Amino acid sequence: MSVDRRDFLKIGAVMAAGTVVSSGAPLLTAAMAEGENSGASARNQWGMVIDINKCSPDCTACYDACRKENNVPHFPEPELDIHWIRKITFKQKGVPGAEERAMPAMCYHCQHAPCEHVCPVAATFTRADGIVLVDKHRCIGCRYCMIACPYKARSFVSRHVEHDPAENPDAPIRMHGVVEKCDLCVHRIDKGEKPACVEACAKAGGGGMLFGDLNDPDSEVSKIVRTGKATRIRADLGTNPRVFYVGI
Amino acid sequence: MNIKFTKVEGNSASYWAYMALTGLVAALAPLTALYMFINGHHVTGMTNQVPWGMPIVMAVFLIGASAGSLVLSAMSSVFGKTEYKPFARIAALLAILLIMAALMAIILDWGRPDRILVPFFHFQPRSMFSLNAILYNSYMLVGFLYLIAQFKDNTRWMKILGLAAVFIAVGVHSGTGAIFGFVYVRELYGSPLLPPSFIAAALSSGTGLMIIALYLMFRATGRRLDNRLISSLGRLMGVFMMVVFYFLFIENVTRSYAPKNYEAASFLLFHGGKYTLMFWLGLGLSGLVIPTMIVFHPRYGRATGWVLVASALQVVGVFFERYIIVIPAQVMPLEFFPDKEITSVFGDGQFANYSVSLVEALYSLGLMGVVAFGFGLCVKLWPMLPTEAVHIPPEAELAEAREVHEFWG
């Protein structure tokens, strides 16, 4: 009996140690979680305005450019496929013969990002300049962010993806078992360029996608947002997306 | 009440057969998890439309049953229900094993279970998952300490730790309910009633599992079990079932009242196909109505066999409840524009499909095997089982309750 009890106490002690570590360590490291902004400045708040009056249902310029720029693979099953940007067609509900219109949908880089709030390991974080990113080396693949995102902006990589020699070396490496999404082509923004979709829209599409600094009163996006013509998707949820639409 | 607890001999052929069988079944959990990890989650029924499948249903079910078990275990030391003392140790043990299996269910289902240490070093205080990780660990610790106090027969610590166990069990299950309740973008998730209704279902499924485990353990070891203990537990389960029913009723009536929720409410209650069947038949009729009628029936409620049937039906019913909480909310399309019809190549505006894959079914079975194997191992290692479990009725009835029923002769 006494040996059993001692053994039991030992197990209890190990459990106690585990609990202390599990609850204490995160508190200690919470302070260290700062400084993940890789030079991004809070002086800029990057945002986008999409004028869907210039968006045709047949055009896939933004979609194609995004896939190419970010090496987004195609999975054979549509329900498993990865989408950083997608075209949505919509029409008024309950109105017979309503006109069908189209718009690109993506991650909206919310000010109050639900994905960031629910991520248990803070793998999703917002840079100082408002870009919401996923740390693929920290993500544990629990997929809670996919459950919480109102915009279905996230995709889980459910297969191993082989690297293609022809792919863009500037885009982040893809990792299986984690969740990923549009990062506004952060690698281009940091070089002073525009996201690939915006560039492609201007070249091969209707030119309805505008990118700029919402903090800069002279930027094109700021000017449009200030007029009150630009709206946000599901504004009622209070997530405050940084991507606005004109013409919805 | 003076109860002697003993170990199970564990030398018989049937014991080793039990251990071999449950051990094999338990091995399915890590093996299928490895298969999922090596191949990727495309081998499961989970998709980018329905990211949480059967493993999460199992996790929620196991956490619930665990919380219910721990509260039952504390009944004798905290609430003075001394007639429940015979199973106080088994219930605490079961609670620990169930929460371990639940944690296994969650962690091995991660896309990257190899990153198990990451949550120990990164923390997000707004995330219910993060907070629950602390709750689950503290819960396991309290459960262990409470078991130790029981082994030492230290009444004072049994009371203190039993009370702590009740508080933390309620916390753990509120936290689990909040994982879904706090998701405000899906009509079938966001509900302040989810945490308390999770607790009610936890208590009823925990009691149901306890009844089944008690009966099987006593039967297998040839020990004496008073059938009045079973019927008393059955009635307790009946009360918990009525609370579950009440919460379900309020939640669905409230949801059905707002026009913005008409589609969600009618999907679950009327045109959701298999989910609607699970709601009305799996949970409603066979999980709540029939078992409640059995346990409160003047004759069937006293018959051990019938109470066992009620317990099994109810446990399966709560399993359906967990399923229809986790899955249909993801199957329904997200409201991108509440006033517009939308379509896309990514399934926007469409109802998604989800069915449990073979891998997920074997994984779930494996998790139950882990609990069964652990239980068999622990009753051999430590004195968990009372030599007999006799119901002690209130003093006034003591005189007429002389003969103790032995239902297996």
Side-chain angles (χ1 to χ4, degrees):
Chain A
M1 260 312 277
S2 63
V3 175
D4 289 340
R5 267 207 296 272
R6 251 201 312 273
D7 286 349
F8 219 95
L9 282 169
K10 268 187 229 159
I11 297 170
V14 171
M15 292 297 303
T19 305
V20 169
V21 170
S22 67
S23 43
L27 297 176
L28 288 174
T29 51
M32 293 155 63
E34 307 290 328
E36 292 180 278
N37 290 320
S38 60
S41 166
R43 279 195 303 272
N44 311 112
Q45 285 299 300
W46 302 115
M48 210 186 266
V49 172
I50 302 172
D51 184 349
I52 64 157
N53 296 317
K54 297 177 179 169
C55 195
S56 126
D58 319 319
C59 175
T60 56
C62 57
Y63 177 89
D64 297 335
C66 174
R67 284 206 175 256
K68 190 156 182 281
E69 176 70 26
N70 295 295
N71 310 317
V72 180
H74 263 303
F75 287 165
E77 307 88 343
E79 68 277 11
L80 290 175
D81 210 4
I82 300 169
H83 289 269
W84 282 32
I85 190 168
R86 62 194 193 275
K87 287 287 291 261
I88 284 183
T89 53
F90 63 95
K91 60 182 179 187
Q92 204 68 45
K93 205 185 264 181
V95 180
E99 181 199 3
E100 195 159 87
R101 308 185 70 198
M103 56 171 263
M106 57 213 276
C107 170
Y108 294 138
H109 300 272
C110 307
Q111 186 191 355
H112 304 296
C115 53
E116 184 181 353
H117 298 162
V118 300
C119 177
V121 293
T124 289
F125 61 96
T126 306
R127 285 204 332 178
D129 57 3
I131 301 178
V132 178
L133 294 176
V134 182
D135 181 342
K136 293 177 185 174
H137 299 277
R138 190 189 289 184
C139 173
I140 53 175
C142 73
R143 314 182 288 282
Y144 197 9
C145 54
M146 296 172 76
I147 297 287
C149 174
Y151 307 109
K152 218 172 149 183
R154 295 177 157 250
S155 298
F156 179 69
V157 185
S158 53
R159 279 177 207 278
H160 296 262
V161 181
E162 295 298 325
H163 281 279
D164 185 340
E167 70 189 21
N168 178 10
D170 292 338
I173 289 171
R174 181 149 284 100
M175 199 175 269
H176 82 277
V178 302
V179 172
E180 58 175 51
K181 65 169 190 75
C182 154
D183 60 10
L184 273 184
C185 290
V186 68
H187 56 282
R188 294 172 63 100
I189 292 175
D190 287 348
K191 285 193 284 189
E193 297 169 11
K194 289 177 179 174
C197 55
V198 175
E199 206 172 81
C201 183
K203 272 187 201 158
M209 294 175 94
L210 300 171
F211 173 80
D213 185 0
L214 293 166
N215 264 5
D216 172 7
D218 296 327
S219 73
E220 242 179 316
V221 286
S222 288
K223 284 178 189 165
I224 297 173
V225 170
R226 274 208 304 275
T227 61
K229 285 180 192 159
T231 51
R232 289 158 154 155
I233 304 286
R234 291 303 305 263
D236 57 318
L237 296 174
T239 53
N240 292 359
R242 289 187 179 90
V243 175
F244 295 80
Y245 287 91
V246 172
I248 288 176
Chain B
M1 183 162 58
N2 214 357
I3 297 169
K4 194 169 153 46
F5 289 89
T6 58
K7 299 178 195 176
V8 166
E9 283 280 325
N11 297 323
S12 64
S14 55
Y15 176 81
W16 290 113
Y18 170 87
M19 292 305 283
L21 181 71
T22 53
L24 278 176
V25 175
L28 285 173
L31 287 176
T32 45
L34 189 66
Y35 181 72
M36 283 195 282
F37 178 61
I38 290 172
N39 290 285
H41 270 61
H42 75 277
V43 297
T44 69
M46 292 176 267
T47 60
N48 280 339
Q49 320 296 325
V50 181
W52 280 354
M54 192 62 176
I56 299 296
V57 176
M58 279 304 290
V60 175
F61 174 72
L62 293 168
I63 293 166
S66 172
S69 276
L70 200 58
V71 173
L72 267 189
S73 170
M75 283 278 185
S76 58
S77 45
V78 180
F79 303 108
K81 302 280 282 177
T82 47
E83 67 269 34
Y84 292 161
K85 196 179 173 188
F87 59 81
R89 289 185 186 185
I90 318 172
L93 170 69
L94 208 54
I96 294 166
L97 290 170
L98 286 163
I99 196 83
M100 281 174 151
L103 285 175
M104 206 171 149
I106 297 170
I107 293 166
L108 292 181
D109 178 50
W110 289 352
R112 302 301 303 225
D114 53 323
R115 293 182 183 171
I116 182 157
L117 290 178
V118 172
F120 287 87
F121 295 99
H122 300 286
F123 183 63
Q124 162 63 280
R126 280 190 73 167
S127 168
M128 278 320 295
F129 255 13
S130 257
L131 297 176
N132 279 336
I134 293 177
L135 278 175
Y136 297 146
N137 280 314
S138 324
Y139 172 86
M140 254 197 285
L141 175 70
V142 170
F144 257 103
L145 294 176
Y146 177 53
L147 247 186
I148 293 168
Q150 290 192 48
F151 284 139
K152 287 184 162 296
D153 219 5
N154 184 326
T155 320
R156 186 160 167 265
W157 277 103
M158 267 158 74
K159 267 211 170 110
I160 294 170
L161 289 166
L163 196 62
V166 171
F167 272 103
I168 202 155
V170 170
V172 159
H173 225 59
S174 300
T176 312
I179 286 175
F180 303 95
F182 287 3
V183 174
Y184 51 86
V185 303
R186 296 174 191 262
E187 285 95 343
L188 287 175
Y189 277 159
S191 159
L193 277 183
L194 271 179
S197 85
F198 261 55
I199 292 168
L203 289 169
S204 68
S205 63
T207 315
L209 270 183
M210 196 66 248
I211 291 172
I212 297 167
L214 256 182
Y215 173 78
L216 291 178
M217 279 310 299
F218 276 69
R219 173 123 208 186
T221 55
R223 294 170 194 229
R224 206 162 68 116
L225 178 64
D226 185 351
N227 70 344
R228 278 172 297 178
L229 184 66
I230 294 283
S231 58
S232 141
L233 274 175
R235 282 194 301 277
L236 186 66
M237 184 176 78
V239 174
F240 294 143
M241 282 190 285
M242 293 203 288
V243 180
V244 173
F245 180 82
Y246 171 75
F247 278 124
L248 273 175
F249 179 77
I250 294 290
E251 190 185 8
N252 282 291
V253 166
T254 311
R255 186 183 287 138
S256 305
Y257 217 79
K260 73 182 174 76
N261 295 331
Y262 282 174
E263 205 175 336
S266 69
F267 175 68
L268 182 62
L269 301 178
F270 303 114
H271 61 79
K274 56 185 174 185
Y275 305 111
T276 302
L277 282 179
M278 284 181 198
F279 181 85
W280 290 109
L281 297 181
L283 169 61
L285 186 67
S286 69
L288 292 174
V289 175
I290 295 176
T292 308
M293 282 164 71
I294 292 175
V295 295
F296 289 120
H297 191 276
R299 190 148 50 89
Y300 299 145
R302 290 205 187 111
T304 302
W306 279 104
V307 177
L308 282 171
V309 169
S311 305
L313 282 175
Q314 192 276 146
V315 170
V316 175
V318 169
F319 182 80
F320 279 127
E321 193 230 3
R322 300 330 197 183
Y323 196 91
I324 55 178
I325 284 173
V326 177
I327 308 294
Q330 302 173 68
V331 168
M332 281 202 66
L334 277 172
E335 286 281 14
F336 211 75
F337 295 114
D339 64 336
K340 293 182 173 67
E341 283 174 40
I342 66 170
T343 52
S344 81
V345 289
F346 200 35
D348 286 285
Q350 312 291 315
F351 283 87
N353 287 313
Y354 171 76
S355 34
V356 182
S357 66
L358 178 65
V359 179
E360 289 166 279
L362 294 176
Y363 179 70
S364 309
L365 190 66
L367 294 165
M368 291 194 266
V370 168
V371 178
F373 180 80
F375 194 80
L377 190 67
C378 292
V379 292
K380 184 178 163 73
L381 292 178
W382 294 292
M384 295 282 178
L385 277 179
T387 45
E388 60 175 12
V390 181
H391 179 76
I392 305 293
E395 291 299 320
E397 295 170 35
L398 207 58
E400 60 188 61
R402 291 269 178 233
E403 77 270 21
V404 171
H405 293 265
E406 289 185 45
F407 56 88
W408 61 77

